């Protein structure tokens, strides 16, 4: 068992994703958020920047959009255009993935 | 030819790496064990030499395991990946599996756990990366159907290929029916057999099932194989779309643009060549597509949320969906009446066909 005790070491925090929402003005400044304070503020700003830039670039490409959906395996970002800014929703896809992937036939 | 499978172990603790090396070297397949003290070093090693298996910790400084896995899953999709961690957190386990990792294992604390873990590793090391159906690696659907027919079995074979589901019925060794969402009978059978990967399961037979296939399984398999050979002669590109002709993309785009609900299709290759159907001036849209996909791909890596699947956009004039496969980006315009959920589902189907 001495050998197996090697397998543990002190924990360091990993980025935890959360479901929640936030709003941005047209300059990309965060106005309000329901995300927990543990979620890195710089990531909220980065998500907002990507969303606002995409809306603005779409408008410039003569493709005005009201809603964006960005789909990752672990997270969905939904954003609604709001007078040049945006209302952004984050939804983690925790539960549905775990039940599927833990089937032994998938291993 | 690879003789001994290569495994790469990643952990920032050199003592642990040494323990891993000694322990894993005792696996029956006698893998060649290499170690990396950081995610960056691991990526450099993976780029230099092909590996069969990557085992990584989650908690590491600078580039953590989730970041490493995000990059690895995108750059080396054939690599088998295992997370070995002391973290007991359901969210991380789910995210790891969402990244497409093969195995998430809590660091073993007892000998039985260690033994079980080693058996799983051995199984992963033994798997070939060739196309095949999970549950019976390297067996094609043709093999499965032949086995059922030769053994005079009765069963229903359900096959899933991403969002597509198909069923094949065999009664007393006779192929009697096949069905997909869009077809039935021989046509459905040929469609199912065109899927190169996926999952299958055998379900109880349905003795009362109406017969729609009257040819012998041998004749039908032969016809299907001939059809594939002919299609193969005109489509050898890894990124080819359905119906794409050799040496040109024209027919592929046309086929995509004919799917129900599709209003236009735009494709951008690695050389930024733009092809489109249903668009008069595609350049601006192509530029927006490229930039948007790159923006959200980079964001996905920062969030450690996995490889970007697709982006949908709804607007008063157009509804669009964007996705990237390899070095090719695709923008599809969808009917105005579709909502985001329907567009996403339909886009997934198109992407699955595109990758088949």
């Amino acid at each position: 068992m001495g050998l197996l005790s090697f397998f543990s070491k002190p924990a360091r925090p990993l980025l935890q994703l959360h479901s929640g929402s936030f709003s941005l003005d047209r300059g990309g400044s965060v106005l309000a958020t329901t995300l927990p304070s543990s979620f890195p503020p710089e990531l909220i700003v980065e998500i907002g920047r990507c969303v606002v830039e995409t809306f603005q670039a779409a408008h410039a490409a003569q493709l005005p959009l009201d809603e964006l959906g960005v789909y990752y395996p672990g997270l969905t970002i939904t954003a609604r255009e709001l007078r040049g800014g945006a209302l952004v929703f984050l939804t983690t896809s925790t539960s549905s993935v775990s039940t599927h992937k833990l089937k032994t036939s998938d291993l | 030819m690879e003789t001994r499978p290569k495994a790469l172990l990643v952990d920032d603790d050199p003592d642990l790496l040494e323990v891993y090396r000694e322990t894993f070297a005792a696996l029956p397949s006698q893998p060649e064990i290499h170690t990396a003290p950081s995610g960056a070093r691991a990526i450099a090693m993976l780029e230099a030499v092909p590996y069969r298996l990557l085992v990584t910790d989650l908690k590491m400084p600078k580039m953590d395991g989730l970041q490493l896995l995000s990059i690895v899953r995108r750059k080396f999709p054939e690599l088998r990946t295992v997370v070995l961690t002391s973290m007991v957190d359901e969210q991380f386990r789910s995210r790891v599996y969402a990244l497409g990792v093969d195995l998430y294992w809590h660091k073993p604390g007892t000998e039985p756990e260690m033994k079980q873990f080693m058996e799983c590793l051995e199984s992963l090391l033994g798997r070939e990366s060739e196309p095949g159906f999970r549950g019976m690696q390297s067996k094609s659907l043709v093999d499965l159907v032949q086995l059922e027919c030769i053994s005079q079995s009765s069963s229903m074979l359900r096959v899933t290929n991403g969002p597509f589901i198909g069923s094949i019925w065999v009664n007393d060794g006779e192929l009697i029916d096949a069905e997909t969402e869009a077809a039935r009978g021989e046509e459905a059978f040929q469609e199912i057999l065109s899927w190169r990967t996926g999952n299958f399961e055998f379900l109880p037979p349905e003795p009362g099932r109406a017969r729609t296939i009257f040819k012998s399984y041998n004749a039908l398999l032969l016809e299907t194989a001939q059809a594939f050979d002919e299609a193969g002669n005109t489509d050898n590109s890894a990124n080819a779309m359905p119906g794409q002709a050799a040496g040109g993309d024209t027919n592929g785009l046309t086929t995509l643009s004919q799917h129900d609900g599709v209003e236009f299709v735009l494709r951008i290759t690695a050389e930024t060549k733009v092809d489109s159907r249903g668009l008069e001036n595609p350049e601006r849209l192509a530029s927006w597509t490229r930039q948007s996909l790159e923006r959200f791909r980079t964001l996905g890596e920062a969030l450690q949320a996995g490889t970007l699947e697709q982006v949908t956009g709804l607007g008063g004039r157009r509804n669009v969906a964007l996705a990237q496969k390899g070095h090719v980006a695709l923008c599809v315009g969808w009917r105005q009446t579709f909502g985001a959920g329907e567009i996403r589902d339909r886009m997934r189907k198109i992407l699955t066909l595109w990758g088949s």
Side-chain angles (χ1 to χ4, degrees):
Chain A
M1 283 309 97
L3 183 96
L4 292 170
S5 65
F6 265 112
F7 284 123
S8 56
K9 63 178 177 181
R12 271 185 294 271
L14 290 170
L15 174 63
Q16 187 115 19
L17 295 175
H18 294 276
S19 294
S21 63
F22 59 96
S23 57
L24 302 149
D25 64 18
R26 65 177 63 235
S29 301
V30 178
L31 301 174
T33 176
T34 66
L35 288 161
S37 56
S38 59
F39 194 80
E42 62 272 18
L43 278 180
I44 300 179
V45 170
E46 184 60 13
I47 294 168
R49 185 188 65 78
C50 289
V51 164
V52 170
E53 278 184 10
T54 304
F55 276 129
Q56 289 173 349
H59 198 272
Q62 296 185 337
L63 179 77
L65 295 177
D66 306 318
E67 186 179 319
L68 269 180
V70 186
Y71 303 96
Y72 302 99
L75 181 74
T76 296
I77 302 171
T78 311
R80 291 184 192 281
E81 206 269 348
L82 210 64
R83 294 187 292 277
L87 183 57
V88 183
F89 300 88
L90 306 185
T91 312
T92 59
S93 47
T94 301
S95 52
S96 60
V97 171
S98 62
T99 50
H100 167 70
K101 283 291 186 179
L102 287 175
K103 287 195 301 187
T104 50
S105 59
D106 280 355
L107 291 177
Chain B
M1 283 290 289
E2 185 183 13
T3 49
R4 290 168 62 197
K6 288 190 181 66
L8 179 59
L9 318 176
V10 191
D11 201 300
D12 59 309
D13 184 335
D15 293 334
L16 257 180
L17 281 179
E18 208 41 52
V19 174
Y20 284 159
R21 183 198 289 279
E22 287 177 15
T23 312
F24 296 171
L27 284 163
S29 57
Q30 296 183 305
E32 202 177 300
I33 306 290
H34 297 193
T35 59
S38 68
R41 175 73 187 135
I43 288 170
M45 292 172 74
L46 290 166
E47 281 172 344
V49 180
Y51 283 86
R52 178 79 61 86
L53 178 71
L54 172 85
V55 181
T56 182
D57 188 19
L58 282 183
K59 292 171 291 182
M60 294 186 289
K62 293 182 183 171
M63 182 187 292
D64 65 41
L66 288 171
Q67 291 170 316
L68 171 64
L69 289 164
S70 297
I71 297 167
V72 161
R73 292 300 303 149
R74 182 167 53 83
K75 293 184 84 171
F76 312 99
E78 300 299 324
L79 182 69
R80 298 290 176 183
T81 44
V82 174
V83 164
L84 188 57
T85 180
S86 55
M87 295 188 66
V88 190
D89 186 314
E90 185 55 32
Q91 192 202 81
F92 287 117
R93 179 158 70 171
S94 299
R95 279 169 66 193
V96 162
Y97 278 123
L99 286 168
V101 168
D102 290 281
L103 186 63
Y104 179 101
W105 201 277
H106 190 251
K107 284 178 176 172
T110 64
E111 280 181 15
E113 282 175 13
M114 189 68 180
K115 186 168 176 287
Q116 216 174 3
F117 176 60
M118 298 292 273
E119 283 171 4
C120 289
L121 279 190
E122 182 62 21
S123 164
L124 286 170
L125 278 166
R127 271 188 199 166
E128 296 296 330
S129 56
E130 292 167 2
F133 281 77
R134 300 194 95 162
M136 195 178 278
Q137 287 293 316
S138 76
K139 289 288 179 199
S140 68
L141 273 181
V142 172
D143 296 327
L144 291 175
V145 172
Q146 275 182 325
L147 277 171
E148 283 300 280
C149 292
I150 290 170
S151 60
Q152 300 286 304
S153 301
S154 296
S155 63
M156 194 253 265
L157 176 62
R158 174 171 288 167
V159 185
T160 54
N161 173 29
F164 298 100
I165 298 174
S167 303
I168 296 170
W169 285 264
V170 177
N171 268 5
D172 298 327
E174 295 268 340
L175 187 60
I176 63 157
D177 193 17
E179 191 173 72
T180 62
E181 191 181 320
R184 191 161 176 201
E186 290 180 21
E187 190 188 343
F189 182 76
Q190 291 188 344
E191 183 186 337
I192 295 168
L193 260 62
S194 71
W195 301 342
R196 292 178 192 172
T197 56
N199 291 290
F200 71 89
E201 58 181 330
F202 283 108
L203 298 174
E206 294 177 19
R209 182 85 190 172
R211 186 164 190 161
T212 61
I213 297 176
F214 297 93
K215 288 180 182 164
S216 73
Y217 73 89
N218 272 330
L220 204 49
L221 288 174
L222 190 63
E223 278 180 21
T224 306
Q226 283 171 342
F228 290 162
D229 283 347
E230 285 164 16
N233 288 335
T234 58
D235 183 356
N236 290 318
S237 165
N239 282 323
M241 295 182 185
Q244 180 176 319
D249 301 324
T250 311
N251 292 337
L253 275 195
T254 304
T255 308
L256 273 191
S257 67
Q258 288 167 349
H259 277 265
D260 183 36
V262 172
E263 293 189 338
F264 67 83
V265 184
L266 170 72
R267 187 173 52 159
I268 310 148
T269 63
E271 302 79 31
T272 65
K273 181 171 173 266
V274 177
D275 294 318
S276 68
R277 290 290 174 280
L279 282 171
E280 287 184 3
N281 183 11
E283 291 301 332
R284 269 195 290 209
L285 189 56
S287 171
W288 177 76
T289 298
R290 254 196 322 267
Q291 287 169 4
S292 301
L293 285 170
E294 178 57 24
R295 190 179 290 131
F296 287 116
R297 186 192 67 74
T298 308
L299 180 65
E301 284 184 2
L303 292 169
Q304 301 162 17
T307 307
L308 176 64
E309 291 173 347
Q310 57 171 287
V311 178
T312 58
L314 307 186
R317 291 186 210 160
R318 291 190 189 280
N319 289 343
V320 294
L322 321 178
Q324 178 126 14
K325 219 160 202 184
H327 296 295
V328 182
L330 194 68
C331 173
V332 179
W334 292 97
R335 189 177 294 156
Q336 278 294 109
T337 52
F338 290 168
E342 186 163 11
I343 289 174
R344 189 185 176 198
D345 287 345
R346 287 174 179 267
M347 188 70 176
R348 282 181 64 215
K349 290 183 178 177
I350 277 199
L351 291 170
T352 305
L353 286 173
W354 185 18
S356 294

